[in-house]
């Protein structure tokens, strides 16, 4: 199981690194749109001094990885090293898309969305892209701040001064891109671990519980409840399931008792050992 998870996370990080590098090479740099954190510094180095982004990315992120060793789990750091390695490799490849337009708001939006997707994949696979994501991970772990929000804060520290290099308009576009990537990152990370909490109130609760347990092999909790008006005891069933299971669970309940009250909420749940992933 550990080898399977290692392979899955490693492959996911490679995919995220590819999307990340393509975003920089094909959407941000060709249109002089900056970035935040180390990526922003690599863009500034490229614009001002023609320093290859891959070299700057490797050196600066290497320093931040060393800092991360002290505050983050070793597994996260090794996955981060893997991510930085592949990002540096992909940044050296020729442009895949070769997209160029004078309507710079278009690559700004596309870049922000793709950046958010790339970072969500990498972070979900237990890694980071080093740079500001290591600082964001530290803020997330010790302060409970969402990864995307923490990254936006650290990225703006670099993005705003970059206006002196890339110009005021491109600085504004950079801020828009960073904001979009932070929103997409937060939204996607919030979706990981999402399940459905189903509360069922019915006189046929025993039959429903037995049927659901038999058909879905699903753990079911019976909660003692009492109606305020009638003062009658009315046990309530509480079930955690996936969206796919919910699609078949509700019809089963309806077949047994068409008058059953079913309340469905979206919740996030993981095993206790993975609790930190909910932050």
């Amino acid at each position: 199981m550990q080898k399977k998870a290692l392979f899955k996370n490693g492959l996911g990080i490679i995919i995220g690194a590819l999307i990340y590098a393509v975003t920089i090479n094909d959407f941000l740099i060709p249109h002089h749109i900056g970035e935040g954190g180390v990526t922003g510094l690599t863009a500034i180095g490229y614009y001002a001094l023609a320093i290859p982004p891959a070299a700057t990315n490797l050196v600066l992120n290497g320093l931040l990885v060393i800092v991360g060793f002290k505050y983050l789990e070793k597994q996260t750091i090794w996955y981060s090293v893997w991510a930085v390695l592949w990002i540096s490799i992909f940044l050296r490849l020729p442009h895949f898309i070769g997209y160029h337009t004078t309507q710079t708001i278009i690559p700004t939006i596309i870049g922000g969305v793709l950046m958010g997707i790339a970072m969500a994949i990498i972070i979900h696979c237990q890694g980071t892209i080093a740079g500001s994501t290591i600082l964001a991970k530290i803020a997330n772990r010790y302060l409970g701040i969402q990864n995307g929000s923490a990254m936006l804060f650290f990225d703006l520290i670099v993005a705003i001064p970059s206006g002196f290099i890339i110009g005021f308009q491109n600085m504004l576009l950079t801020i828009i891109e960073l904001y979009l990537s932070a929103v997409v990152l937060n939204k996607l990370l919030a979706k990981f671990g999402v399940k459905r909490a189903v509360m069922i109130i019915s006189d046929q609760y025993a039959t429903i519980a037995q049927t659901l347990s038999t058909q879905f092999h699903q753990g079911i909790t019976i909660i003692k409840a009492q109606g305020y008006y009638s003062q009658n005891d009315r046990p309530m069933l509480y079930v955690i399931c996936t969206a796919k299971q919910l699609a078949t669970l509700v019809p089963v309940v309806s077949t047994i008792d068409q008058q059953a009250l079913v309340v469905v909420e979206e919740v996030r749940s993981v095993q206790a050992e993975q609790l930190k992933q909910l932050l």
Side-chain angles (χ1 to χ4, degrees):
M1 186 66 180
Q2 187 176 4
K3 290 183 179 179
K4 183 178 179 180
L6 187 66
F7 175 79
K8 181 180 177 181
N9 288 338
L11 180 60
I13 286 174
I14 293 176
I15 294 173
L18 177 61
I19 297 173
Y20 188 89
V22 168
T23 304
I24 294 174
N25 281 340
D26 291 275
F27 292 99
L28 301 185
I29 287 181
H31 300 93
H32 281 247
I33 299 171
E35 249 292 328
V38 168
T39 307
L41 293 175
T42 63
I44 292 174
Y46 178 79
Y47 297 142
L49 303 173
I51 300 174
T56 310
N57 176 74
L58 193 60
V59 172
L60 295 181
N61 279 329
L63 295 175
L64 283 171
V65 164
I66 294 174
V67 173
F69 263 109
K70 182 176 181 181
Y71 297 100
L72 298 176
E73 295 179 356
K74 299 300 182 288
Q75 176 180 269
T76 299
I77 297 303
W78 287 120
Y79 277 134
S80 299
V81 171
W82 182 248
V84 170
L85 175 64
W86 279 102
I87 288 173
S88 297
I89 292 173
F90 289 137
L91 283 174
R92 296 180 63 86
L93 296 179
H95 292 188
F96 284 95
I97 301 174
Y99 174 75
H100 187 77
T101 178
T102 57
Q103 303 294 323
T104 49
I105 190 64
I106 297 176
T108 297
I109 295 173
I110 296 175
V113 172
L114 289 179
M115 274 292 186
I117 293 173
M119 289 187 292
I121 293 173
I122 292 172
I123 291 176
H124 178 62
C125 293
Q126 310 303 312
T128 73
I129 57 171
S132 58
T133 54
I134 282 189
L135 300 178
K137 271 280 190 180
I138 293 173
N140 174 258
R141 179 173 181 178
Y142 292 100
L143 301 176
I145 301 173
Q146 285 184 302
N147 282 282
S149 302
M151 280 186 60
L152 180 60
F153 171 77
F154 291 117
D155 285 344
L156 288 177
I157 294 176
V158 172
I160 293 176
S162 71
F164 292 104
I165 303 295
I166 62 177
F168 182 72
Q169 176 177 297
N170 284 355
M171 180 199 72
L172 294 179
L173 291 173
T174 299
I175 293 174
I176 293 173
E177 183 267 326
L178 290 173
Y179 175 75
L180 287 175
S181 66
V183 171
V184 171
L185 175 59
N186 282 338
K187 291 291 184 182
L188 290 179
L189 289 180
K191 288 298 180 182
F192 295 129
V194 168
K195 293 188 178 181
R196 302 295 187 272
V198 184
M199 289 165 281
I200 305 168
I201 300 177
S202 168
D203 292 331
Q204 305 295 323
Y205 74 92
T207 303
I208 293 173
Q210 182 178 12
T211 303
L212 294 180
S213 178
T214 300
Q215 291 191 14
F216 299 99
H217 305 287
Q218 179 69 46
I220 300 171
T221 301
I222 298 178
I223 301 175
K224 293 183 178 180
Q226 185 181 62
Y228 174 76
Y229 181 77
S230 65
Q231 295 296 304
N232 292 329
D233 291 335
R234 185 68 63 87
M236 179 174 67
L237 303 180
Y238 187 80
V239 184
I240 299 292
C241 65
T242 64
K244 182 179 180 179
Q245 290 174 320
L246 179 65
T248 52
L249 181 149
V250 173
V252 169
V253 175
S254 179
T255 300
I256 298 173
D257 182 6
Q258 293 185 350
Q259 303 302 316
L261 175 63
V262 180
V263 180
V264 181
E265 295 181 341
E266 188 176 89
V267 297
R268 297 177 63 205
S269 62
V270 295
Q271 295 179 349
E273 62 182 7
Q274 300 172 316
L275 194 59
K276 59 181 180 298
Q277 295 182 22
L278 292 182
L279 294 177

